[in-house]
Amino acid sequence: MSSMDIGIDLGTANIIITMGRKIIINEPTVVAYNKKKQEVMAVGRDAYKMIGRTPEYIVAVRPLKDGVISDRDMTLLMLKEFIRKASRNLMIKPQIIICVPSAVTDVENRAVVDAALAAGARKVFLIKEPIAALIGAGVDIKKPTGTMVVDIGGGTADIAVISFNGIVKATSLKMAGTKFDSAVIKHFLQKEKILIGEKTAETAKKTVGNVFEPDSDKLMILKGRNVVKGLPQSLEISEVDMHEALIDSAMDVVNKIKSVFESTPPELAGDILETGIILTGGGAMLKGLDKLIAWHTGASCRLADNPIECVAHGVAKAFDFADELLDGFEKVSMYKYK
């Protein structure tokens, strides 16, 4: 692996970039663009601070939605800035491996590759998210033993059964971190007539979000605008309130996991009962989600060490096998590791 190679976990909520085996950038996947001057004002953390706080001629947006590129131009501008940051001291264009969801289409793959090449990559490789997640979690995927990984990012939840270097069964669900936030916003708007912002919903999810056996004594103050009165309002909420807001979304993930089990060969399903389900991604850190999954599937479920950076570490390690990965935008379902 060259110290000049770059790995990118291009997520809906966050972009994590590695060089060598080190994470050098971990920032929100946001770009702020000045339409009057036609130039990028900020990307990442600085752009995230501008969401909901800019005049009309400045847009602060997330250019990816549900794990794929929704705004190609903004994605290209953002990638250029991040790659420039990452490779500012390099004399030649870097090789880049980018992580993509398991159910991504060829057209979506092409959009990712084209954006990376236009942003300054010399050569682009793609790796499927479940493979990268398991490599990053330290799982030896060479063994002919079934392992289930559930990677819940900002835009998608990737659920896959891996055995003998390949993906046996996989599906991608557009229910993840940002959808949990949207569920919180919708719940309090309907129930309390209070409209809250994205960042407030995310804070509430992290502070008192719980989808299994919530505690009514865990409290926080929620601040927003009463849509009936049109005035600011604060409200004390508990884990029980957040359970009501989040449980339907969490059960969507659980039901999708159950559907993957239904189509998994019985031998591999038996393996998973022994090895358990591994959770990765920032969305997997929702309190009680591991217990909820274990309760409904009968399989043990554990959160990987450092779940947010798990995929990024897997992408970095994948450079050791770059010669065996398919180049470009071809659909990759199996990698033969030595």
Side-chain angles (χ1 to χ4, degrees):
M1 175 182 183
S2 169
S3 60
M4 295 185 294
D5 293 333
I6 290 175
I8 299 179
D9 176 12
L10 185 60
T12 302
N14 289 84
I15 180 170
I16 303 178
I17 298 179
T18 62
M19 182 176 287
R21 287 288 178 88
K22 296 180 179 178
I23 291 176
I24 58 173
I25 291 174
N26 183 353
E27 298 194 32
T29 312
V30 182
V31 56
Y33 184 75
N34 188 317
K35 293 188 287 186
K36 284 185 177 180
K37 296 183 178 179
Q38 296 186 338
E39 64 182 20
V40 173
M41 291 188 64
V43 296
R45 202 170 290 111
D46 292 336
Y48 179 74
K49 295 175 183 176
M50 299 182 185
I51 292 179
R53 301 173 184 272
T54 60
E56 288 185 2
Y57 62 89
I58 297 175
V59 291
V61 297
R62 296 184 183 273
L64 282 87
K65 184 178 181 181
D66 299 332
V68 297
I69 294 173
S70 59
D71 188 328
R72 185 186 180 281
D73 292 337
M74 288 298 172
T75 300
L76 177 57
L77 291 170
M78 182 187 68
L79 274 177
K80 279 184 175 179
E81 286 297 311
F82 277 123
I83 291 175
R84 183 187 61 78
K85 278 186 180 182
S87 60
R88 64 179 60 181
N89 295 321
L90 299 182
M91 300 298 292
I92 60 174
K93 291 183 177 181
Q95 287 191 120
I96 294 178
I97 288 185
I98 301 180
C99 187
V100 294
S102 59
V104 72
T105 66
D106 288 345
V107 172
E108 290 163 345
N109 274 341
R110 183 190 289 270
V112 171
V113 173
D114 286 349
L117 289 172
R122 182 172 87 254
K123 196 173 185 181
V124 180
F125 298 94
L126 301 179
I127 184 170
K128 291 296 177 67
E129 206 157 296
I131 294 285
L134 282 183
I135 294 173
V139 175
D140 183 1
I141 65 172
K142 297 190 300 293
K143 296 180 179 179
T145 303
T147 304
M148 177 178 279
V149 59
V150 180
D151 181 69
I152 306 177
T156 59
D158 270 278
I159 304 160
V161 176
I162 313 293
S163 177
F164 203 55
N165 295 321
I167 297 175
V168 180
K169 293 291 178 182
T171 188
S172 187
L173 174 68
K174 293 179 180 179
M175 175 56 67
T178 55
K179 294 298 176 68
F180 289 145
D181 297 342
S182 297
V184 172
I185 294 171
K186 182 179 179 181
H187 175 78
F188 288 106
L189 179 60
Q190 292 180 340
K191 185 177 180 180
E192 304 291 346
K193 303 300 184 234
I194 293 178
L195 179 63
I196 60 174
E198 291 179 20
K199 288 191 278 189
T200 301
E202 184 180 14
T203 300
K205 177 185 68 178
K206 292 178 178 179
T207 306
V208 290
N210 192 344
V211 293
F212 192 81
E213 297 181 347
D215 185 348
S216 59
D217 292 330
K218 294 286 182 64
L219 305 169
M220 75 165 282
I221 300 297
L222 193 72
K223 296 178 181 179
R225 173 168 55 85
N226 187 300
V227 295
V228 176
K229 299 177 182 178
L231 299 173
Q233 182 177 333
S234 61
L235 176 73
E236 187 176 64
I237 62 170
S238 69
E239 283 190 355
V240 174
D241 298 311
M242 289 296 289
H243 181 274
E244 292 179 19
L246 293 166
I247 189 61
D248 288 344
S249 300
M251 284 305 301
D252 285 343
V253 176
V254 171
N255 291 330
K256 186 61 75 170
I257 293 171
K258 291 167 71 175
S259 73
V260 172
F261 265 120
E262 290 170 2
S263 59
T264 298
E267 291 83 359
L268 297 182
D271 291 340
I272 295 167
L273 278 177
E274 291 186 14
T275 59
I277 299 168
I278 299 174
L279 294 180
T280 63
M285 297 174 70
L286 177 62
K287 187 177 179 182
L289 184 60
D290 54 343
K291 295 178 181 177
L292 185 72
I293 293 171
W295 176 266
H296 285 278
T297 63
S300 62
C301 187
R302 67 177 177 86
L303 192 65
D305 295 334
N306 199 356
I308 293 177
E309 298 178 352
C310 211
V311 170
H313 285 302
V315 173
K317 291 177 183 178
F319 270 114
D320 293 342
F321 318 103
D323 291 340
E324 298 179 40
L325 294 176
L326 294 183
D327 190 19
F329 53 83
E330 296 181 50
K331 187 174 182 180
V332 182
S333 60
M334 179 175 285
Y335 308 109
K336 296 179 180 177
Y337 295 94
K338 295 178 180 178

